[in-house]
Amino acid sequence: MIGQSGIAVRNVRRALPESVAELAKYGVATVHEAMGRTGLMASYMRPVYPGARICGTAVTIFAHPGDNWMLHVAAEMLQPGDVAVLGTSSQNTDGMFGDLLATSFHARGAVGLVTDAGCRDAAELRTMGFPVWSKAVHAKGTVKATVGSVNTPILCAGMLVYPGDVVIADDDGVVIVPKLQATRVAAAAAAREVKEAGNRKRFAAGELGLDVYGMRDSLTKAGLEYFADEDALQLESQK
Amino acid sequence: MIGQSGIAVRNVRRALPESVAELAKYGVATVHEAMGRTGLMASYMRPVYPGARICGTAVTIFAHPGDNWMLHVAAEMLQPGDVAVLGTSSQNTDGMFGDLLATSFHARGAVGLVTDAGCRDAAELRTMGFPVWSKAVHAKGTVKATVGSVNTPILCAGMLVYPGDVVIADDDGVVIVPKLQATRVAAAAAAREVKEAGNRKRFAAGELGLDVYGMRDSLTKAGLEYFADEDALQLESQK
Amino acid sequence: MIGQSGIAVRNVRRALPESVAELAKYGVATVHEAMGRTGLMASYMRPVYPGARICGTAVTIFAHPGDNWMLHVAAEMLQPGDVAVLGTSSQNTDGMFGDLLATSFHARGAVGLVTDAGCRDAAELRTMGFPVWSKAVHAKGTVKATVGSVNTPILCAGMLVYPGDVVIADDDGVVIVPKLQATRVAAAAAAREVKEAGNRKRFAAGELGLDVYGMRDSLTKAGLEYFADEDALQLESQK
Amino acid sequence: MIGQSGIAVRNVRRALPESVAELAKYGVATVHEAMGRTGLMASYMRPVYPGARICGTAVTIFAHPGDNWMLHVAAEMLQPGDVAVLGTSSQNTDGMFGDLLATSFHARGAVGLVTDAGCRDAAELRTMGFPVWSKAVHAKGTVKATVGSVNTPILCAGMLVYPGDVVIADDDGVVIVPKLQATRVAAAAAAREVKEAGNRKRFAAGELGLDVYGMRDSLTKAGLEYFADEDALQLESQK
Amino acid sequence: MIGQSGIAVRNVRRALPESVAELAKYGVATVHEAMGRTGLMASYMRPVYPGARICGTAVTIFAHPGDNWMLHVAAEMLQPGDVAVLGTSSQNTDGMFGDLLATSFHARGAVGLVTDAGCRDAAELRTMGFPVWSKAVHAKGTVKATVGSVNTPILCAGMLVYPGDVVIADDDGVVIVPKLQATRVAAAAAAREVKEAGNRKRFAAGELGLDVYGMRDSLTKAGLEYFADEDALQLESQK
Amino acid sequence: MIGQSGIAVRNVRRALPESVAELAKYGVATVHEAMGRTGLMASYMRPVYPGARICGTAVTIFAHPGDNWMLHVAAEMLQPGDVAVLGTSSQNTDGMFGDLLATSFHARGAVGLVTDAGCRDAAELRTMGFPVWSKAVHAKGTVKATVGSVNTPILCAGMLVYPGDVVIADDDGVVIVPKLQATRVAAAAAAREVKEAGNRKRFAAGELGLDVYGMRDSLTKAGLEYFADEDALQLESQK
């Protein structure tokens, strides 16, 4: 059950490495579109430094506010290429993750952390190149008193995450690809990228979206009316 | 009427180019002060990358939450030096604007976008040098289903914007100069800059604002009382 | 009394220079932990540019919303190594502090400003290297009409600050060390740093926090149960 | 100019009394719809007690944060049936309005206050039956130090308000009807009410909106697909 | 897939009526505790009028911001005792639900609505006795332009909801009981209620939780130290 | 030290009963003004039901997010007429207090709770008549794992509270009167009430604040200019 405490699962099925590698080529916006505009975490999730970008498989963590005990339990489950994803049982901005845990996670091969709470040691994380996406950056320390869970399904920043799902994060936020759909989504993202590349060229050459996407008729049908200038609009509204 | 949908005005009177060029020399804070401390959008409007700075004439866009159709309509109205300004019919943080539209707007000569919603492709916008001021950065995709308006008066981040008004944006936020006042405000900004330059030198030399602005008497009249130290304050409060 | 207006105290007892110098070696998170996890301002306090870092003694300022008069009064009390700390009588995000005051404060030897309101001229502050921690960056100008106080105890961003207390601020936020505890806290921070350095090495070598901190037994006692994999968990929950 | 201080206009053209009387029959939602879904203030504007409902003509007030001086200036301009509408030069939640001003405004014939800041004496306002719509209820007192304006156009809670406009407020928020459109909007509201009354009967009888509004075809065209049950959906997604 | 548009499922398996009836006896806090402190929606979900209380089975709705089309599709799926639960594809506070839809839903036998957006016609909903839990009350009207889904799994206010799950809502918020666990949770809630009733009597008689729950030893072990009075504490801290 | 854990002080000096009784006659706004506009908690502190009103002496509680253990420790220190005041070590909205603790506190003679976190069992609290002022109402349950402190100075909702201080709370928020100033503040509140009663009569009779407070001259000096009507203003601005 989501939100259940006291469970630590050692081994989980992860998305296929080749799908993860393929998804790593695309940004969050592209993958989100390729999934039919689904999978995004809330807009408050920000990278601790700009330009950070990761793609990996989720080790999920469920923790209580102000308590980072389960992050140590999760460290043991991390494999190279993993992303730790932390959801909490209630809203919290404490600095649950800092440079010591980052050193540990990095040594285990993890590539980043996504947390619906806060992180700290922002300068050190930037120097180490271990990126974090979080709701806050705050030095607030935490206790180790109450158990949560590791590698159970969690809710994080308004999104459902299963262990082994693909996590992609960049300056635009965080998107989750369910592990069984990773291959299909990677293909859709590739197709979208090709199509967008073509459109980008046309836009760069000065063509309008109105023509590239053929929108003029549908805009008229939807009721859009053009006026030559403000005087023409004025005249119309006085009729 | 503000908030009316279904109108697209092709040509609008813009502020005089020479006034825009003059205003481009000053930052948002200076222009805001030169207008008698008016014209600012809300404090949540942030540049998508630090150090961005623009000055141009507004093409206004009114759109519905999660619907970026009108941005394509607006592209056709953009002229070199314009800034697209997007207000929405209700609070929204979706990524209504990304690198494809930026490529299109840039090709039309626009210099930036100001939006009371979200934008995406933040890394690409930084690379392109096409700055956006927005309420959020979020990958959330949008539909093209409902018409709004282009080049009608809008409300954006708590400010009223008419098409053709001057838009100045930097790290301190966004300020709008009504087009008919652009010349007057540019002159006032220039005068303020001169005066501030003089004061800045005096401050740098260690002079106090108390003396530069002659505030000592008015502070006393307003009731400020000086104490030599904490003990003197203690004594006074025990009387 | 906290929140009383009309008082300006010229000389205050500051923390000992050698304690301030010692505390300057540590980050906000370390000092906060060394104080038994106390002393932090709220998580919304952010540096105006990343990487900023200061340690100094507080000159406290109490001001009214939208009124920056007392900052000029405070300028006269600033001594080399001071940090101006501004609390307001109600919630406010106006740009109470900008490049002119920064020039003045810098000329007096101050090393930064902490404010529970807004600041402006962010680009200039970055260029000058005069950092500010604030709730907002906004160009909004202020009046000089109502007196507050300087060098009385204040509440700022949820924390109590006495004049002369040590203020440490970096990317992780702002922490206040009461002046009488500066020496003791500096020693505790040094001890913590030593201990953490040892642990950091062990983490970097791949050791787990579970073993470094000896947590395995206490986790079991607290009810954490391990499962080999998702199938084992499934079986258990069907019993 | 919006946001200009130092102006007090004694007499303003108000919407016609008969239009105000007609608009008073309808709720905020109906009037907002009758205006083509325009005119609403932000969703944070809440009545100080539930069930409050007013309709009147605006006397506009522009004030600075934490300064309620202009409310006294406005009192003199209030006529029977007026609603005071207060916008501020920056975000503020101070209790700018309480039972003394309510007594004064009530004595002048005003029927309520709308403010983008805070109010206080909530219990007394409820007892008096003088409703306020505000962003906050807070006892925070204010100064009388800086002039703003009365009866100039203002921005309040994201909406533009001219003196003399019609203000309608109830549990659903606050809507502004421009004075020149009051008659037309009142007629549109009446028409809408008639149409809705008919639909309400059909809904109460168990008819579906799908049939009342004839939506089935357009839903299919827009891509909605029906499945008999979860098993059918499962089958489809496995194809 | 969560967040997929274009699907409407006519028939869903609902929790057993007898479990729903049993759960209806308990408040949100009790049921949440009986589920091991899980299942709660976010704290911003508030009833449109105080004292409202419902328990029923979920018909789930997924909609786009500012678009209430799918609510009409959902009306057809509602059965007596159902609760409509609306999640949106991005953050939104528009008034997606009002008295007309309430009339329709009520005629179908539904007992309430839970929405991660806004509702309107608050006064009418109170009069009708059709309660809504929402993020906002706002008159903002919506369009009917883009399809979402009905009776697919949704995320709403940070919680995962499957069609047919039990929804319990009162002044303390909203809790979701997965349909397969309804019977077990109802039993646990009953057991908890019995135990709490006993404790309540002891508390009412003046007994302390310290003794009722036998906490004195564990508090001492956890490091709590008692002092007779402030002077004793003072002495201790000076040692 | 503020924020220190592990301390429980059994007996504290409370404000004098006669001062508390006198202060109980006045509302939060009056007492706040009588203290020179100081002492208020943040504007987000709201009563769990409207019309609640208390005045008593503070038993202070410092707790960790999501942990209500110390409330049970505090119960033993409560005396008739006390108000429990709970500050937390970081931002939290969990339902730390509900009907069982309210039963216990009520049995001890306490008259209410003020908390910078959440409370639950809102309906039962209303029925019992045991009011709570809080940041949130939420069913979220808490653990009992980490000790905080009782009867040490705390920060709560932006205000400093010492054990024994007077706490006054009503619909306008919460104000704290330092125990040593209770007598003086009660006298100032009484004086203010008398003065306001006189002014209230004059306002009710239609007199203006401009005349009651003699503001006309100072407004003119501050730069306020009157215009007969909008046309006169128009003329002036065109000069």
Side-chain angles (χ1 to χ4, degrees), chain F residues 12-205:
Chain F
V12 294
R13 281 178 285 274
R14 287 166 170 83
L16 298 176
E18 51 271 29
S19 303
V20 178
E22 179 64 21
L23 282 166
K25 298 178 187 164
Y26 310 107
V28 168
T30 297
V31 172
H32 158 68
E33 291 281 347
M35 290 172 74
R37 290 191 197 126
T38 65
L40 279 182
M41 288 192 181
S43 63
Y44 58 69
M45 296 296 282
R46 306 302 306 144
V48 75
Y49 52 91
R53 186 173 170 167
I54 56 169
C55 177
T57 41
V59 162
T60 59
I61 309 168
F62 175 70
H64 296 283
D67 193 312
N68 79 341
W69 211 5
M70 298 314 288
L71 286 157
H72 288 284
V73 176
E76 195 172 24
M77 276 63 153
L78 288 170
Q79 297 182 3
D82 278 345
V83 175
V85 183
L86 168 64
T88 53
S89 63
S90 70
Q91 201 176 311
N92 186 254
T93 59
D94 292 351
M96 288 204 182
F97 184 86
D99 77 319
L100 279 191
L101 272 166
T103 302
S104 173
F105 281 25
H106 184 257
R108 307 288 298 178
V111 298
L113 174 86
V114 169
T115 169
D116 200 6
C119 73
R120 64 183 190 181
D121 299 328
E124 289 78 3
L125 293 172
R126 196 165 47 220
T127 305
M128 291 177 60
F130 191 89
V132 172
W133 281 255
S134 67
K135 187 158 70 178
V137 176
H138 200 208
K140 182 65 183 60
T142 49
V143 299
K144 299 183 204 321
T146 309
V147 295
S149 290
V150 171
N151 275 336
T152 60
I154 61 167
L155 290 163
C156 176
M159 187 48 47
L160 178 66
V161 190
Y162 282 87
D165 283 352
V166 186
V167 182
I168 300 146
D170 62 19
D171 284 333
D172 293 349
V174 183
V175 69
I176 303 298
V177 182
K179 54 189 153 186
L180 293 181
Q181 302 179 17
T183 310
R184 190 179 63 70
V185 170
R192 185 180 163 85
E193 199 87 328
V194 168
K195 190 177 130 205
E196 290 225 327
N199 289 340
R200 193 174 292 109
K201 269 189 200 161
R202 295 176 65 180
F203 283 128

Side-chain angles (χ1 to χ4, degrees), chain D:
Chain D
M1 183 162 31
I2 287 185
Q4 199 174 344
S5 291
I7 296 168
V9 179
R10 292 195 179 277
N11 299 292
V12 295
R13 281 178 285 274
R14 287 166 169 83
L16 298 177
E18 49 272 27
S19 304
V20 178
E22 180 64 21
L23 283 166
K25 298 177 188 165
Y26 310 107
V28 168
T30 297
V31 173
H32 159 67
E33 290 281 348
M35 291 173 73
R37 291 192 196 124
T38 65
L40 280 181
M41 288 190 182
S43 61
Y44 59 69
M45 296 296 283
R46 307 301 306 144
V48 75
Y49 51 91
R53 186 173 171 166
I54 57 170
C55 177
T57 41
V59 162
T60 59
I61 308 166
F62 175 71
H64 296 283
D67 192 314
N68 80 341
W69 212 6
M70 298 315 288
L71 285 157
H72 289 283
V73 176
E76 194 173 26
M77 277 63 155
L78 289 170
Q79 297 182 2
D82 279 345
V83 175
V85 183
L86 168 64
T88 54
S89 63
S90 71
Q91 200 176 310
N92 186 254
T93 58
D94 292 351
M96 288 204 181
F97 184 87
D99 77 318
L100 280 191
L101 272 166
T103 302
S104 173
F105 281 25
H106 184 257
R108 307 287 301 176
V111 297
L113 174 88
V114 169
T115 170
D116 199 7
C119 74
R120 64 182 190 181
D121 299 328
E124 289 78 3
L125 293 172
R126 196 165 47 221
T127 305
M128 291 177 60
F130 191 90
V132 171
W133 281 255
S134 67
K135 187 158 68 178
V137 176
H138 199 207
K140 183 65 183 61
T142 49
V143 299
K144 300 182 204 321
T146 310
V147 296
S149 289
V150 171
N151 276 335
T152 61
I154 60 167
L155 291 162
C156 177
M159 188 48 47
L160 179 66
V161 189
Y162 282 88
D165 284 351
V166 186
V167 183
I168 301 145
D170 63 19
D171 284 333
D172 293 349
V174 183
V175 69
I176 303 298
V177 182
K179 55 189 153 186
L180 293 181
Q181 302 180 18
T183 310
R184 190 179 63 70
V185 170
R192 185 180 162 86
E193 199 86 329
V194 168
K195 191 176 129 205
E196 289 225 328
N199 288 341
R200 193 175 290 108
K201 269 188 200 162
R202 295 177 65 182
F203 283 128
E207 273 193 85
L208 293 168
L210 296 177
D211 301 314
V212 169
Y213 301 123
M215 292 167 171
R216 295 191 189 269
D217 279 1
S218 48
L219 280 164
T220 304
K221 270 180 209 154
L224 186 67
E225 202 173 345
Y226 280 88
F227 297 86
D229 54 29
E230 291 147 313
D231 297 335
L233 174 62
Q234 194 74 6
L235 276 175
E236 176 66 21
S237 68
Q238 285 167 356
K239 276 188 199 169

Side-chain angles (χ1 to χ4, degrees), chain B residues 1-224:
Chain B
M1 183 162 29
I2 287 186
Q4 198 175 345
S5 291
I7 296 166
V9 178
R10 291 196 181 276
N11 300 292
V12 295
R13 279 178 286 273
R14 285 166 170 82
L16 297 177
E18 50 271 27
S19 303
V20 178
E22 180 65 19
L23 282 167
K25 297 177 188 166
Y26 310 107
V28 168
T30 297
V31 173
H32 159 68
E33 291 280 348
M35 290 173 73
R37 290 194 197 122
T38 65
L40 280 182
M41 288 190 181
S43 63
Y44 59 70
M45 296 296 282
R46 306 303 305 145
V48 75
Y49 51 90
R53 185 171 170 167
I54 56 170
C55 177
T57 41
V59 163
T60 58
I61 308 167
F62 175 71
H64 296 282
D67 193 313
N68 79 342
W69 212 5
M70 298 314 288
L71 286 158
H72 289 283
V73 175
E76 196 172 24
M77 278 62 156
L78 289 170
Q79 297 182 2
D82 278 345
V83 175
V85 184
L86 168 63
T88 53
S89 63
S90 70
Q91 200 176 312
N92 187 252
T93 59
D94 292 351
M96 287 204 181
F97 184 87
D99 77 319
L100 280 192
L101 271 166
T103 302
S104 173
F105 281 26
H106 184 255
R108 308 287 300 177
V111 298
L113 173 86
V114 169
T115 170
D116 199 6
C119 74
R120 64 184 191 180
D121 298 328
E124 290 78 3
L125 293 172
R126 195 165 49 220
T127 305
M128 292 176 60
F130 191 90
V132 171
W133 281 256
S134 66
K135 186 157 68 178
V137 176
H138 200 208
K140 183 65 183 61
T142 49
V143 300
K144 299 181 205 323
T146 309
V147 296
S149 291
V150 172
N151 276 335
T152 60
I154 60 167
L155 290 164
C156 177
M159 188 48 47
L160 178 67
V161 190
Y162 282 87
D165 282 352
V166 187
V167 182
I168 300 147
D170 63 19
D171 284 333
D172 293 349
V174 183
V175 69
I176 302 298
V177 183
K179 53 190 155 187
L180 293 180
Q181 302 180 17
T183 310
R184 190 178 64 70
V185 170
R192 184 180 164 87
E193 200 86 330
V194 168
K195 190 177 130 207
E196 290 226 327
N199 289 341
R200 193 175 290 109
K201 268 188 201 163
R202 296 177 66 182
F203 283 128
E207 272 192 85
L208 292 168
L210 295 177
D211 302 314
V212 170
Y213 302 123
M215 292 167 171
R216 294 189 190 270
D217 280 1
S218 47
L219 281 163
T220 304
K221 272 180 207 154
L224 186 67

Side-chain angles (χ1 to χ4, degrees), chain A residues 16-95:
Chain A
L16 297 177
E18 49 272 26
S19 303
V20 178
E22 180 64 20
L23 282 166
K25 298 177 187 165
Y26 310 108
V28 168
T30 297
V31 173
H32 159 67
E33 291 281 347
M35 290 173 73
R37 289 188 198 129
T38 65
L40 280 181
M41 288 190 182
S43 62
Y44 59 71
M45 296 296 282
R46 306 303 305 145
V48 73
Y49 51 91
R53 185 172 172 167
I54 57 169
C55 177
T57 40
V59 163
T60 59
I61 308 166
F62 174 71
H64 296 283
D67 193 313
N68 80 341
W69 211 5
M70 298 314 288
L71 286 157
H72 289 284
V73 176
E76 194 172 25
M77 277 60 155
L78 288 170
Q79 297 182 2
D82 279 346
V83 175
V85 183
L86 168 64
T88 53
S89 63
S90 71
Q91 200 177 309
N92 186 253
T93 58
D94 292 351

